[in-house]
Amino acid sequence: MRIHTFLALFLSSSLLAGCAATQQNNHDLILTNANIVDVAAGEVLTGKTLVIDEGVIQEISDTGAASKYNAATTIDAQGKYIIPGLWDNHIHLRGGEALKEENKNLLPLFIANGVTTVRDAGGDLYPAIRQWRDQIAAGELVGPRIITAGPKLDGPNPVWEGSIEVATVAEVPAALDSLQLMGVDFVKIYDSTISGDVFLAIVKEAEARGMMTAGHMPFTVSLGEAIDSGLDITEHLYYSFKSGSPKEDSITNVIQASYETEKPVGFYTALDWLYESYDTATAQRFFQRMAAANAAVVPTLHISEVLDNLHQDDHSTDKYLAYIGDGIEQTYARRINSAKRRSAESIQFMNNLNNRFHTLVPAMQAAGVTILAGSDAGAYNSYVYPGISLHKELEQMVEAGLTPAQALRTATINGAQFMGKTAQYGTVEKGKVADLVLLESNPLEDISHTQLIHTVIFGGKTYTKEKLQQLLDELKN
């Protein structure tokens, strides 16, 4: 009897152990024969298997060990290249109630282009954005993870609808209180009417509260002042460019004094002065100062190229125009009409300026400034389409002088690091969220290969090439 009891217990234990082993190896998704693009090192890790459960990478091993894993779904990557989900670090969801549904309908365009996280740089759709974020997280809506500023902060009678007006320094605490109550992810400051003292007061108060700040900057303030006060991200290159002039202080003083008269110095007049006095060595010293202060910049090169050529380019046959709602397309008219009124001299100056802007990007990279890729896609920004425009931005960065690896970092690990989310996103590693894009070819050889998307994995869902095309087909007007 004792021998029989021992054998029964032994067999029972063995069966239970076998079941436990089977359960342990029963995973949601396995990717085999994949080449992982290590964006941090700028190299490719060949022949890898990824094990994914509940949207998180559980294991990465050599493909030869793949047989020990079982999964509900197995994908043979066949030597294709895996990159982290892309980040578009500057978009806009805006246009008010009239354009709410059209903005919502654009969200799948990001996923179709491998963009799994976007940074909404201020608008007038914040209550809707909160709802969309919840729906995306619940798998009820196809769209990217959204990091948002909510309403912009600006001065009296601001240009953009939905902005919070801050006319005096005394009003700054209440404005930031309102943003904190909304639960926004960062503070976006705009410069249409805001005064220099209010701008700096917002930055300082937000810094004291532990709130990240980003924005345009009035030319009555220097970027050095703003960074010293705690500004984290500067949008576009105008403000970094201003700091490349050895005459910045005197030009700033003239601009400040002009606001006490009936004829304040205009933005483009100031740009002309700065262009004439720009100095590469001065700029390089300032970029080193930016890097030391851990200040980031979003260059937005692609939108400048598009908008500065509106007077001559025909976009009527653009493939992506088919995905844009009539209401959003109508907002394009404002910039188109403005472009048609520009003089030949103005057009030439902006082309020269943008050529100069391209030289800033590799100089900033060399100085150690954190560069964040952003498209500025959204209503009112004519023909800068959600999703695909981020890829165009990466191409512009490489044309400016970055390597494909450096450009790829601006749309992956840099955003995650700067937003304090490297524990979850930005690289393909064990323990990271499985925001993944499977590419047909190696993007480190040619940055345009980021557009050769085979599969996107996001939110625990797998979007094959066929499903991505179906998403696009459903969006066509």
Side-chain angles (χ1 to χ4, degrees):
M1 290 293 292
R2 292 177 183 174
I3 292 174
H4 292 160
T5 301
F6 174 79
L7 286 173
L9 289 170
F10 174 79
L11 290 171
S12 177
S13 299
S14 298
L15 287 170
L16 287 171
C19 289
T22 300
Q23 291 172 357
Q24 183 178 358
N25 292 327
N26 189 19
H27 302 283
D28 295 340
L29 175 64
I30 293 176
L31 284 167
T32 64
N33 298 309
N35 292 326
I36 296 175
V37 177
D38 182 340
V39 294
E43 60 186 25
V44 175
L45 310 177
T46 60
K48 297 298 180 182
T49 286
L50 287 78
V51 179
I52 298 168
D53 282 324
E54 298 181 350
V56 175
I57 302 171
Q58 303 295 333
E59 296 287 345
I60 296 178
S61 62
D62 292 333
T63 288
S67 59
K68 70 179 182 178
Y69 301 112
N70 297 311
T73 302
T74 299
I75 297 174
D76 184 351
Q78 299 180 329
K80 295 179 176 62
Y81 295 82
I82 293 181
I83 62 171
L86 297 169
W87 284 51
D88 189 333
N89 293 284
H90 189 129
I91 71 155
H92 290 285
L93 298 168
R94 64 188 178 197
E97 188 67 26
L99 297 182
K100 183 174 74 173
E101 287 304 308
E102 290 189 19
N103 275 270
K104 180 181 178 181
N105 291 340
L106 293 178
L107 295 176
L109 282 179
F110 292 105
I111 298 301
N113 283 279
V115 179
T116 56
T117 302
V118 298
R119 179 172 157 270
D120 170 48
D124 54 1
L125 287 173
Y126 184 62
I129 291 170
R130 287 202 305 183
Q131 182 181 26
W132 299 340
R133 290 205 302 192
D134 292 342
Q135 290 174 333
I136 290 167
E140 299 167 0
L141 176 65
V142 177
R145 187 175 297 104
I146 304 172
I147 297 168
T148 183
K152 298 176 183 179
L153 301 186
D154 203 345
N157 303 311
V159 166
W160 292 107
E161 293 82 357
S163 299
I164 296 175
E165 299 183 21
V166 191
T168 66
V169 171
E171 295 174 5
V172 168
L176 292 177
D177 286 346
S178 65
L179 292 180
Q180 286 186 306
L181 286 172
M182 292 179 198
V184 302
D185 299 303
F186 65 101
V187 179
K188 170 68 182 295
I189 315 169
Y190 198 73
D191 64 338
S192 72
T193 64
I194 199 166
S195 66
D197 59 343
V198 170
F199 178 91
L200 292 175
I202 290 172
V203 173
K204 291 174 183 176
E205 178 67 17
E207 175 78 2
R209 297 183 183 210
M211 302 174 76
M212 178 172 286
T213 51
H216 297 208
M217 186 184 72
F219 270 12
T220 52
V221 172
S222 72
L223 183 53
E225 288 180 279
I227 289 172
D228 289 346
S229 298
L231 184 69
D232 296 294
I233 303 173
T234 176
E235 313 287 356
H236 318 297
L237 290 173
Y238 299 104
Y239 317 101
S240 306
F241 177 70
K242 180 172 179 278
S243 296
S245 168
K247 296 182 179 179
E248 182 190 16
D249 288 343
S250 60
I251 290 173
T252 300
N253 290 337
V254 170
I255 295 170
Q256 288 173 343
S258 76
Y259 276 80
E260 303 299 323
T261 72
E262 295 181 358
K263 293 184 178 181
V265 173
F267 182 74
Y268 290 102
T269 298
L271 277 179
D272 189 30
W273 295 345
L274 294 166
Y275 184 88
E276 293 299 327
S277 60
Y278 182 83
D279 175 68
T280 301
T282 301
Q284 194 64 28
R285 286 193 296 272
F286 185 77
F287 298 157
Q288 291 168 354
R289 180 179 171 184
M290 287 181 69
N294 193 32
V297 64
V298 188
T300 61
L301 299 175
H302 171 63
I303 187 174
S304 294
E305 181 182 50
V306 173
L307 298 185
D308 288 339
N309 289 286
L310 286 177
H311 65 286
Q312 63 181 12
D313 290 349
D314 179 9
H315 290 275
S316 62
T317 59
D318 286 2
K319 172 186 173 183
Y320 268 72
L321 195 57
Y323 308 125
I324 303 301
D326 292 341
I328 290 179
E329 187 176 350
Q330 288 172 18
T331 70
Y332 293 175
R334 185 165 79 180
R335 290 193 188 273
I336 295 170
N337 293 335
S338 176
K340 290 178 178 178
R341 293 193 299 267
R342 289 166 57 198
S343 66
E345 182 182 21
S346 171
I347 291 169
Q348 185 60 55
F349 173 74
M350 289 308 296
N351 286 335
N352 293 342
L353 182 64
N354 284 326
N355 289 336
R356 183 69 61 80
F357 278 178
H358 275 65
T359 69
L360 268 61
V361 174
M364 288 178 163
Q365 175 71 34
V369 176
T370 299
I371 300 173
L372 306 174
S375 69
D376 211 356
Y380 297 94
N381 286 347
S382 314
Y383 309 114
V384 181
Y385 304 112
I388 189 64
S389 290
L390 179 70
H391 297 281
K392 300 303 181 183
E393 180 71 10
L394 296 181
E395 288 182 345
Q396 287 284 305
M397 287 190 179
V398 172
E399 286 183 23
L402 298 193
T403 67
Q406 290 169 340
L408 192 56
R409 288 183 198 116
T410 70
T412 54
I413 192 170
N414 286 10
Q417 285 180 337
F418 209 82
M419 298 306 295
K421 297 181 180 294
T422 49
Q424 300 165 287
Y425 313 112
T427 56
V428 182
E429 293 182 78
K430 179 180 178 180
K432 296 286 183 80
V433 173
D435 290 357
L436 305 172
V437 183
L438 190 61
L439 303 176
E440 299 281 1
S441 300
N442 185 359
L444 300 182
E445 294 177 353
D446 187 332
I447 196 62
S448 69
H449 291 168
T450 59
Q451 300 170 51
L452 304 178
I453 296 173
H454 182 276
T455 301
V456 175
I457 298 170
F458 174 70
K461 295 183 178 181
T462 300
Y463 299 89
T464 62
K465 198 169 189 176
E466 293 72 24
K467 287 183 179 178
L468 293 174
Q469 186 58 53
Q470 183 180 350
L471 276 179
L472 292 173
D473 290 343
E474 290 173 352
L475 288 172
K476 285 186 177 179
N477 293 315

